[in-house]
Amino acid sequence: MTNNEQIQAVGKIHYPARGVRHYLIAENRETKVQYKKLIYPEQDGSYKVASLPLKPASYNMYVQSGVKRTSPVVVSLKGGQVQGDSESDIRNLLKGLLLNIQVTNPLLNDIVFPQIDGVTFSIDSNKSALSSAGKVTRGTNDELVTFTIQAKRRDITESITYNNILIPKRSQTDEEELDLWLNSIQIDNPLTKNIELPSYPGVVFSIESSNPSVVSTSGVVTRGNQDVYVNLTVRATKGAVTRTKSFPNILVPKKDSSADSIIDDYLNQLVISSPVTSNITLPPLTGAMVTLTSSNQAVITNSGIITRGTTDQSISLVVTVTKDGITKTKIFLGLLVPKKEGGAEWEVDDYLAALSITSPLTSNIVLPPFTGGTTTLSSSNPAVVSNSGVVTRGTTDQTVSITVNATKDGVTKSRTFTNLLAPKDDALLTAELDAALNAINLGNLINLSTNISLPSASNGINVSWSSNQPGAISNTGVIQQDPTDAKSFILTASVTKNGLTRTKTFSGSVAANVQLVLADDVTKVKSSFGTLYPVFDLSLPTSLNGTPLTWTSSNPALMTSTGDVRENDVVTPFTLTVSNASTNQIINMSTQDVDTGLLGGLLDSLGTLLNPVVSALTGNAQTATLPTQYGGLLGIGAKSITNWESSHPDLVTVQGSNVTIQRDDQEHIVVLRAKYEGIDQPIPFIVKLSKR
């Protein structure tokens, strides 16, 4: 309806998308200047709105909702009066109005006609379920209706026909209603373009795909280098009721290698959403040139830069792709670039909305400049993030909240970023742990003979210990001495904090237990001593493994503490005690007299025979040869020496007269004894075996 300098429109917006704005637009057909009036639909989508005041001119009138728009209707204003339109203008008007009438399949609601002065509408239907006024009457059965909508002004008529539109039976359950919607959905096979799902109040549609990388859950089709079959399920949900429809074995053909197909795929997937509030960056296409052309570069430049002004702007963009001599375009009509509403308040909102502070915080925060305004930053923990944005990372993870205040022309607003992580600085943490390890002092760990104390903490950090030789020293510092060998070990100290572990090793050794060496040697020696004969000197060693040895005879008249055996008429027992710093060992012994004639002289000469063997045992030799005879002097023939025995066969092995020497890390007292021809008892001699 025209009324002086305003044009009134009445209609209904079906299935409005949340957050999308709706406008009545009058576009001057000569100057292309647009006059927009915001539409506020009722809850059911209906609206009645008058345009902005208009000067006499010819206008294209249409309603724009987001990126969608109705077909334009030509209206002319001349001197405030509606002039007689030509037949062509009237027909274009009627065709545009008919295309703007919403008809759904299935048809569940009445058909609403636009209200335009001088234009009448009627419906010619083959079923009574749809009246001439567009009223839908749902009966007890489903009805397939074919009808024609006629629009008439003066004697000029235009019409549009709809075939086989379903009017479902009344009292339809949610399940039945959803099934009707699902049955109306078809998916191409093969599938080369994105899937567009219907929109209906109260119903949520979604897609389940067996291969989301090829067909996503939002219906985006991505063709690859091979043919791919996917199974798709369309899901419709209303309240607590969900119904599905399956589309098995849908072929998504591989990309055609031709430039023509590549460009089609690129343009098919390209989306520029309205309203446009941020700069546009077109994705690249290998081997192709992609350009953007704007209908108004003051609002959107050809490089995609957005400049929002004091009024809403409707912009058309053309994307042009050229590859291998082939050029194709895609047009985005009626993109809304909203104005900066509210002046300074809007600019402050825009600044804060575009602001980003990324977590984790590994570098200082620098706020972008705010043209004509000021910004400040406030931290919940200035020790971690200062109010100037300086980030100080410590040895533990920290979370902070940052509030940014933006001010312009007296308007101040804030935005808070919570739970921002300032991660620990591993370098600082490493230094702290290393300092704790370096503060540990275990002293001299070489040749340990007593347990050591391992600290459980250092610089306030717990310390755990591990030994690579728990048989020598435990993880708690308890030593186990070997009777013969010193044992090397490595102790590892570990400190852990906030998931980071550092270690330090301490090398040392556990000393052999020389007391145990003496006790072990004496036990072996006891079985090697027999009856001793006068004038035979045992040459008792005076030290063992660096520890002095003391020999004490229970009867010095029979044997002195230096091992000199005295004469005695009968076999007489006595004891010989050997002592070091902490151990006393007793050996039971006896003496027997022997003829002091030539045989006694022979016994005195045994020391000379055995000197090479003593030298071998106390030196570094690995072998020695034992004497097999003695005597041959003073008119006495040579006597045999047989059956040599060793108190330590593991170290000094005797085979016949050959001695093999195997040393260890300790000195030992070793007894060798043999049967001498002419003497009743085997005669022992004692010597100290050197260590290796």
Side-chain angles (χ1 to χ4, degrees):
M1 180 179 73
T2 60
N3 183 12
N4 294 329
E5 295 181 356
Q6 288 182 295
I7 300 175
Q8 181 173 289
V10 178
K12 185 174 184 179
I13 297 175
H14 295 274
Y15 327 129
R18 182 174 297 177
V20 173
R21 296 184 178 183
H22 318 284
Y23 297 91
L24 174 64
I25 299 177
E27 182 183 72
N28 190 303
R29 299 181 67 190
E30 180 178 356
T31 64
K32 304 301 181 182
V33 174
Q34 294 181 341
Y35 303 88
K36 293 186 177 181
K37 183 66 176 290
L38 189 62
I39 297 174
Y40 297 94
E42 298 295 333
Q43 189 171 1
D44 64 351
S46 62
Y47 64 86
K48 181 177 181 181
V49 62
S51 72
L52 296 173
L54 301 173
K55 297 179 179 179
S58 179
Y59 296 90
N60 288 323
M61 302 296 301
Y62 57 92
V63 172
Q64 181 170 306
S65 177
V67 298
K68 297 182 179 181
R69 55 188 286 185
T70 64
S71 299
V73 176
V74 178
V75 178
S76 296
L77 294 178
K78 295 183 180 179
Q81 300 296 322
V82 179
Q83 303 299 315
D85 296 330
S86 67
E87 179 177 346
S88 175
D89 289 339
I90 293 175
R91 291 193 180 279
N92 288 335
L93 168 64
L94 297 180
K95 290 178 181 178
L97 294 174
L98 288 170
L99 292 174
N100 194 44
I101 297 173
Q102 186 69 37
V103 176
T104 63
N105 191 8
L107 186 59
L108 302 175
N109 298 306
D110 296 343
I111 296 175
V112 179
F113 300 135
Q115 298 182 17
I116 305 296
D117 217 11
V119 179
T120 60
F121 297 88
S122 64
I123 294 177
D124 181 14
S125 171
N126 68 338
K127 298 287 181 67
S128 60
L130 179 62
S131 72
S132 61
K135 181 175 179 58
V136 174
T137 303
R138 296 164 64 182
T140 58
N141 297 309
D142 293 340
E143 296 279 359
L144 286 177
V145 182
T146 297
F147 57 91
T148 299
I149 303 177
Q150 293 182 340
K152 184 176 182 180
R153 183 174 182 184
R154 295 204 294 257
D155 58 348
I156 300 173
T157 300
E158 289 289 338
S159 64
I160 186 171
T161 298
Y162 296 88
N163 295 304
N164 295 324
I165 301 299
L166 174 64
I167 297 179
K169 62 186 178 182
R170 65 174 177 269
S171 300
Q172 193 173 36
T173 65
D174 288 343
E175 288 86 350
E176 292 172 328
E177 182 177 338
L178 294 179
D179 284 341
L180 287 172
W181 279 106
L182 289 172
N183 288 334
S184 69
I185 296 174
Q186 299 297 325
I187 294 179
D188 294 340
N189 194 0
L191 182 61
T192 58
K193 295 184 178 181
N194 297 340
I195 301 170
E196 294 186 7
L197 295 176
S199 175
Y200 187 74
V203 179
V204 177
F205 293 92
S206 62
I207 295 177
E208 294 179 0
S209 171
S210 64
N211 193 338
S213 64
V214 177
V215 179
S216 73
T217 55
S218 60
V220 176
V221 176
T222 303
R223 297 165 64 186
N225 296 323
Q226 294 180 342
D227 292 345
V228 177
Y229 285 90
V230 296
N231 297 320
L232 303 177
T233 300
V234 178
R235 182 180 297 272
T237 300
K238 182 177 183 181
V241 178
T242 297
R243 304 289 285 179
T244 60
K245 183 178 181 181
S246 297
F247 297 86
N249 297 322
I250 299 296
L251 171 62
V252 179
K254 64 183 178 182
K255 289 182 179 179
D256 192 324
S257 59
S258 67
D260 187 79
S261 177
I262 293 173
I263 295 174
D264 283 344
D265 283 346
Y266 177 88
L267 293 176
N268 178 49
Q269 297 181 38
L270 186 62
V271 175
I272 301 177
S273 299
S274 181
V276 183
T277 57
S278 58
N279 295 339
I280 298 170
T281 300
L282 296 177
L285 179 60
T286 302
M289 182 175 66
V290 182
T291 60
L292 180 74
T293 303
S294 171
S295 63
N296 187 342
Q297 290 205 62
V299 180
I300 301 179
T301 69
N302 290 343
S303 59
I305 304 301
I306 307 298
T307 303
R308 297 166 64 182
T310 57
T311 61
D312 292 339
Q313 297 288 333
S314 179
I315 302 298
S316 295
L317 298 177
V318 179
V319 177
T320 303
V321 180
T322 299
K323 181 178 173 63
D324 298 339
I326 298 175
T327 298
K328 292 193 175 187
T329 61
K330 184 173 182 178
I331 301 174
F332 296 87
L333 295 173
L335 296 173
L336 171 64
V337 179
K339 65 182 179 182
K340 292 184 177 179
E341 297 178 355
E345 182 173 2
W346 181 269
E347 293 183 52
V348 172
D349 285 342
D350 272 357
Y351 177 84
L352 293 175
L355 192 61
S356 175
I357 299 179
T358 303
S359 182
L361 299 171
T362 56
S363 59
N364 297 339
I365 299 172
V366 178
L367 297 177
F370 183 21
T371 304
T374 60
T375 58
T376 60
L377 183 148
S378 176
S379 169
S380 64
N381 189 344
V384 177
V385 179
S386 73
N387 291 336
S388 60
V390 177
V391 177
T392 303
R393 297 162 59 190
T395 59
T396 61
D397 290 342
Q398 298 280 347
T399 56
V400 296
S401 296
I402 301 296
T403 298
V404 178
N405 304 300
T407 300
K408 184 172 185 179
D409 298 339
V411 177
T412 298
K413 291 191 176 185
S414 303
R415 181 180 176 187
T416 300
F417 299 83
T418 60
N419 295 320
L420 297 172
L421 173 64
K424 64 180 181 293
D425 189 328
D426 285 344
L428 291 177
L429 185 56
T430 298
E432 181 183 11
L433 295 177
D434 287 346
L437 291 172
N438 292 333
I440 299 174
N441 184 5
L442 300 182
N444 184 11
L445 299 179
I446 304 301
N447 288 328
L448 294 177
S449 59
T450 58
N451 299 338
I452 62 173
S453 177
L454 300 178
S456 60
S458 177
N459 291 355
I461 300 176
N462 291 336
V463 182
S464 62
W465 293 90
S466 64
S467 169
N468 73 327
Q469 292 289 347
I473 184 168
S474 72
N475 295 338
T476 58
V478 177
I479 67 169
Q480 296 289 335
Q481 288 181 281
D482 188 278
T484 58
D485 294 332
K487 297 292 186 182
S488 298
F489 63 81
I490 297 175
L491 289 173
T492 301
S494 300
V495 289
T496 300
K497 185 174 181 181
N498 298 325
L500 183 63
T501 298
R502 299 285 290 175
T503 60
K504 183 179 179 181
T505 58
F506 299 82
S507 299
S509 61
V510 175
N513 191 329
V514 294
Q515 290 81 10
L516 295 177
V517 172
L518 177 61
D520 184 64
D521 284 354
V522 169
T523 298
K524 296 177 180 178
V525 164
K526 284 180 180 181
S527 63
S528 299
F529 274 107
T531 300
L532 301 179
Y533 293 87
V535 305
F536 187 76
D537 187 0
L538 291 180
S539 301
L540 299 173
T542 59
S543 67
L544 186 68
N545 294 310
T547 302
L549 295 180
T550 301
W551 300 85
T552 305
S553 171
S554 65
N555 191 341
L558 298 178
M559 180 178 179
T560 67
S561 60
T562 60
D564 186 18
V565 180
R566 303 297 185 183
E567 294 182 7
N568 190 39
D569 293 336
V570 295
V571 175
T572 305
F574 67 95
T575 61
L576 183 63
T577 301
V578 58
S579 304
N580 64 5
S582 59
T583 301
N584 293 320
Q585 300 291 328
I586 299 174
I587 306 173
N588 294 317
M589 308 185 74
S590 64
T591 64
Q592 181 179 346
D593 197 6
V594 68
D595 293 336
T596 58
L598 295 175
L599 188 58
L602 292 174
L603 291 175
D604 286 339
S605 69
L606 287 178
T608 302
L609 291 173
L610 294 173
N611 278 340
V613 179
V614 173
S615 297
L617 293 175
T618 58
N620 297 317
Q622 294 179 329
T623 61
T625 302
L626 293 166
T628 58
Q629 290 182 336
Y630 76 102
L633 298 173
L634 303 175
I636 299 176
K639 301 289 185 180
S640 297
I641 304 176
T642 61
N643 299 325
W644 285 98
E645 296 177 350
S646 168
S647 64
H648 289 66
D650 56 329
L651 299 176
V652 180
T653 304
V654 179
Q655 291 181 323
S657 61
N658 296 318
V659 178
T660 302
I661 304 170
Q662 179 67 43
R663 307 173 196 275
D664 60 21
D665 292 332
Q666 305 299 326
E667 296 175 339
H668 293 276
I669 298 175
V670 176
V671 172
L672 294 177
R673 72 173 185 166
K675 182 70 174 65
Y676 287 72
E677 183 183 356
I679 301 176
D680 294 338
Q681 300 293 331
I683 298 177
F685 77 93
I686 189 167
V687 67
K688 182 168 68 174
L689 177 67
S690 64
K691 60 184 177 181
R692 62 186 170 202

